[in-house]
Amino acid sequence: MIFSFFPRIAHLELTVIIVSIIIGVVIGATEEILWRGVYIRKFPSSKFFGIIYPAIWFSVWHIASQSVLPNQMLGGIASFLFYALLLGLDWVWSHGGQVQ
């Protein structure tokens, strides 16, 4: 968003901006339902299967986007996936390390 979408926003048509926002919201919501909701409900007392496991797969999930538009920043795809893993693990800290 910061490095690719925002610098080009002035040159985009309104429909592209609206569709991008809709797709972003839908994907974000479905990722949260899958990677947080399903695993937390299925494994309520397991920190590994409730938090760590979905965080790892959340990161791996982002390989698909990298096959379309690879990260050109320092570290390339590996840094992007590592950042996705950190975002997935952020759930632990934002909820005080509690699965339930």
Side-chain angles (χ1 to χ4, degrees), residues 6-94:
F6 288 147
R8 296 181 179 120
I9 201 164
H11 306 290
L12 297 175
E13 294 181 26
L14 182 59
T15 54
V16 172
I17 295 169
I18 292 170
V19 169
S20 296
I21 291 170
I22 291 170
I23 289 172
V25 169
V26 169
I27 289 172
T30 54
E31 281 183 347
E32 288 300 314
I33 291 168
L34 173 63
W35 299 119
R36 306 293 181 266
V38 171
Y39 285 93
I40 297 287
R41 289 182 186 267
K42 186 72 176 164
F43 305 103
S45 60
S46 172
K47 292 218 186 250
F48 178 77
F49 286 112
I51 297 171
I52 306 299
Y53 184 78
I56 291 168
W57 283 103
F58 175 77
S59 176
V60 171
W61 174 266
H62 286 84
I63 289 174
S65 64
Q66 292 301 295
S67 66
V68 175
L69 183 62
N71 181 19
Q72 300 298 315
M73 306 301 285
L74 183 63
I77 294 172
S79 68
F80 186 85
L81 298 179
F82 181 70
Y83 182 70
L85 176 64
L86 292 179
L87 286 175
L89 290 173
D90 178 60
W91 192 91
V92 176
W93 290 280
S94 66

